[in-house]
Amino acid sequence: MATTLHRIVGIALLVLLALPASAAAPVSDDAHAHAFVEDGVVTWSPSVAYVAATLDIRGPEGVTLQRRFEPGQPLALDPSALEQALPDGLYIYDLLFVTGEMVPSAEGEPSQETKTQMGSFEMAGGRAVDSESLPFFHVGSGSIDGSLCVGNDCVSSEAFGFDTIRLKENNLRLHFQDTSVGAFPTNDWTLVANSSASGGDSFF
C-alpha cells in the first residue's frame, strides 16, 4: 500500500511540474501606453505626446487590421463595431506613436521620432478579453525552473522556502481520473489532505 501511494504521489508531482508558472502574459508591456480590456473593448492610455498613432494587429486565420489615430481621438478598439467579426484566439499588436520630434536618421536627413509598443489580447465569444482572465490550457511538454504554488490561496509573493511544489487552499485534493475504456483498469483515485468538515479529522 505504501509503495502504491508513493507511486501515486510521484506521478502527481510530475504532472504539476509540467504546468506553466503563470496563466499568460499581460496585455501589454505598458512602455508608452497603459493597455487594458474593459467591457470587450481594448483601450490604450498613452504616456507619450504624439502627433499620430498607428495600430497594426495580426490574429488567427491570417486576420490583419490597421487603424490610425489622431491626437485627442480615443485610442481604442471595439471589436463589436467592426464590419467583420474577429475570430476567437490570440491577437498580437504593434502600436506606433509618431512624436513629432525630429531626430537624425541613417541617411543624414532628420526624420520624425517614433516609439513602438507591442502587446497582445485575446478574443473569446466575440469579445476582447485580457489574456490573464482566461483559463490556461497547454498542449505539449513543459518545464518550470523554480517553485510552483497551486490553489485558491496562492499569492504572487509566495514565500516558498525549500518547497518545490505547494498546494494551498482550505480543501486540498489530488484526483487521478482514469479515462481508460474496455478491459483496461479504470479505477479513479483521490488523495485527500484533512477533512473538509468543521471539527473533522486531520489525516493523510
Side-chain angles (χ1 to χ4, degrees), residues 92-131:
I92 307 297
Y93 69 80
D94 294 299
L95 181 58
L96 183 144
F97 293 100
V98 180
T99 67
E101 297 184 13
M102 303 303 292
V103 295
S105 66
E107 292 76 20
E109 293 293 330
S111 61
Q112 289 190 328
E113 180 187 40
T114 60
K115 297 180 182 292
T116 303
Q117 175 170 314
M118 295 184 63
S120 66
F121 64 91
E122 296 205 32
M123 291 292 299
R127 293 167 54 87
V129 295
D130 189 334
S131 300

Side-chain angles (χ1 to χ4, degrees), residues 79-98:
S80 66
L82 300 177
E83 294 181 359
Q84 183 176 1
L86 297 179
D88 289 354
L90 178 67
Y91 289 77
I92 307 297
Y93 69 80
D94 294 299
L95 181 58
L96 183 144
F97 293 100
V98 180

